[in-house]
Amino acid sequence: SAGDVAGAFSVSRRLEVPVSVRGSGHSCGRHGVSEGGILVVNRSTRPEVRRLDEERFEVGSRTLWVDVERALNAVGRTVPVVTSELATTAGGTLSVGGGFGLRSIRAGSQVDCIESLEVVLPDGRRATCSRHQDVDLFRGCLGGLGRLGFIERAIVRSAAHRPIVRKLRSRHSSFASLLESLASFAGDGPCPWDEVCASSPDLETWDLVASTAHPDRADARRRGLPGLPGAGAPRLVEDSLPPDVEASRTPVDGLGQVHVWNDYAFELDGLVAFAEEVCPLLGAADLRPYLGQALLLAVAGGDPGTRPWLDLRSWPSPRRGFGIGLYFDLPAGDAPAIARAEAFHGACLEVCLRLGGRPYLYGTHELDRGRLQACYGDGFARFQALRDSLDPRRLLRRPPSRAPCWL
């Protein structure tokens, strides 16, 4: 409960030890551990979802997104963006600024559908912040990696649930071919698509899937389908929740593997230039056997006036850009391969920043204060000023030994 969290913060201040929060364990970079400090496990088996009106729902931070979706679907509603990781907690996703998925082409990220937050501050006080009240705190807690306070609950703006989906799939034999087809998804013009995603096992061959969503099968058959070059016949499917989702992870899960990954976001021109530089680097590093997946999403810009201070997206709304994720799964005992993967992402970061893109702060990176300042400008300065006032001793999520100093 919020009282338990406030109590943990009190002990942290009294003993001068750091405190971290762990949700479902879908974390990286040791964010879900606390070296020599307090670890608050923010997970509950009882979903906390309460309907406030036609569109808005109050969601407890320890509730899994799959349980949020089940509650909303039961009354004909849905979260505007649903990710593939439904076993994550609402508070965890919002605190790391995540929540991108197939519907991001229209709805941006899950942080874009948040109206307000209830937060436990480092001194134990509770505060409410929103798009209209204490906006700086609101923009800092969303995507702030838990550095400004603990998200206790959120008001989520929902959308009408349209469970029938028509999918078109096109296959591309090269990254260049895929990039040519992405022009129709970019910019700020009308978008006929509700879902867009491309995936690749090697950064060479790509599957691009674009979909429209409908309230029922009759509407799906009645409405015309936009064209997608190279696509086969459309498939009509029901977009339903899986009967089971992955259980909560423990600290010993995956000890045999090391995951080295990050996401990078650009407008289309930046993505094209990024691909031209990064693809040769992957082959030179001999990492293709370890590439679990490359994933590309089209992403709406959201409201730049209320986006998180440290948001992944750098382009202005209402333009649409792209996020690309590169995910390596490496044997824990293969130190040379791990070093090559880390060096590869280091090179990706350099290219990303030079092209005006942004990396996902939750992934693998070595960002120092100077680069963060250059990347986020006034947003980073305002975030740091908030942290100086709320947690001057840096007790919330003090970084593990290898984490960048700004954290």
Side-chain angles (χ1 to χ4, degrees):
S1 70
D4 295 330
V5 173
F9 286 1
S10 175
V11 173
S12 170
R13 293 193 307 275
R14 187 172 69 253
L15 300 181
E16 287 284 335
V17 296
V19 59
S20 296
V21 179
R22 181 182 185 273
S24 64
H26 180 71
S27 60
C28 60
R30 293 181 288 171
H31 288 285
V33 298
S34 183
E35 292 183 358
I38 300 168
L39 180 64
V40 176
V41 179
N42 190 50
R43 171 77 186 272
S44 173
T45 57
R46 294 187 303 167
E48 301 173 60
V49 183
R50 183 168 68 94
R51 190 170 195 173
L52 302 178
D53 53 37
E54 178 65 23
E55 292 188 350
R56 299 182 308 140
F57 293 76
E58 183 182 79
V59 175
S61 67
R62 53 196 61 85
T63 304
L64 300 182
W65 284 111
V66 66
D67 293 321
V68 176
E69 268 296 281
R70 284 172 179 152
L72 268 61
N73 289 177
V75 293
R77 308 297 294 180
T78 185
V79 179
V81 181
V82 178
T83 77
S84 60
E85 295 289 348
L86 290 169
T88 54
T89 60
T93 304
L94 299 180
S95 70
V96 301
F100 295 92
L102 303 182
R103 302 179 195 165
S104 287
I105 188 170
R106 281 195 178 275
S109 77
Q110 285 177 336
V111 299
D112 295 329
C113 67
I114 303 303
E115 294 291 327
S116 66
L117 299 172
E118 180 185 320
V119 181
V120 180
L121 299 176
D123 63 4
R125 291 179 297 127
R126 294 194 197 185
T128 298
C129 54
S130 72
R131 296 177 179 275
H132 310 289
Q133 174 187 348
D134 206 347
V135 179
D136 276 10
L137 181 63
F138 180 73
R139 299 179 71 176
C141 287
L142 292 174
L145 299 180
R147 270 57 176 179
L148 301 183
F150 170 84
I151 297 175
E152 168 62 19
R153 60 188 67 253
I155 305 299
V156 180
R157 184 184 68 255
S158 68
H161 184 39
R162 295 181 292 169
I164 305 301
V165 179
R166 283 192 305 175
K167 296 180 179 288
L168 280 178
R169 180 187 301 272
S170 65
R171 299 184 184 276
H172 297 265
S173 58
S174 69
F175 204 169
S177 169
L178 172 73
L179 293 171
E180 288 180 6
S181 69
L182 295 181
S184 61
F185 305 120
D188 55 5
C191 178
W193 301 103
D194 297 303
E195 301 177 354
V196 169
C197 176
S199 60
S200 170
D202 53 17
L203 272 187
E204 293 178 346
T205 57
W206 287 82
D207 275 353
L208 173 64
V209 179
S211 311
T212 57
H214 308 267
D216 51 48
R217 292 179 179 271
D219 181 80
R221 295 188 179 98
R222 184 169 56 249
R223 282 178 52 191
L225 191 66
L228 185 66
R235 289 193 305 124
L236 193 66
V237 299
E238 184 167 355
D239 189 13
S240 58
L241 290 171
D244 299 300
V245 296
E246 184 178 358
S248 177
R249 301 170 187 177
T250 69
V252 298
D253 287 344
L255 282 181
Q257 282 192 315
V258 172
H259 307 289
V260 179
W261 68 277
N262 209 343
D263 302 325
Y264 306 92
F266 311 85
E267 289 195 80
L268 181 59
D269 289 348
L271 176 64
V272 172
F274 181 77
E276 289 175 350
E277 294 198 43
V278 165
C279 287
L281 296 177
L282 180 68
D286 191 24
L287 286 170
R288 280 200 169 88
Y290 306 106
L291 183 64
Q293 185 183 49
L295 186 67
L296 191 148
L297 298 172
V299 181
D303 179 2
T306 55
R307 282 194 311 212
W309 291 124
L310 307 179
D311 194 64
L312 176 63
R313 299 160 291 183
S314 61
W315 58 87
S317 181
R319 297 182 64 82
R320 292 181 294 275
F322 299 90
I324 180 169
L326 303 169
Y327 312 108
F328 295 102
D329 300 322
L330 305 114
D334 193 341
I338 294 169
R340 294 199 306 274
E342 292 176 341
F344 171 79
H345 271 295
C348 288
L349 176 63
E350 296 292 341
V351 175
C352 173
L353 296 178
R354 176 160 42 80
L355 295 173
R358 286 182 182 172
Y360 187 21
L361 292 183
Y362 201 49
T364 301
H365 64 77
E366 292 292 339
L367 282 169
D368 57 22
R369 287 175 180 267
R371 289 204 238 182
L372 283 158
Q373 185 67 56
C375 193
Y376 296 98
D378 182 60
F380 180 66
R382 296 176 80 160
F383 180 88
Q384 289 294 83
L386 269 173
R387 196 169 186 212
D388 289 341
S389 66
L390 294 173
D391 186 24
R393 290 181 286 178
R394 300 295 194 261
L395 295 177
L396 295 195
R397 286 245 181 123
R398 183 178 291 167
S401 55
R402 291 185 59 196
C405 64
W406 79 275
L407 296 173

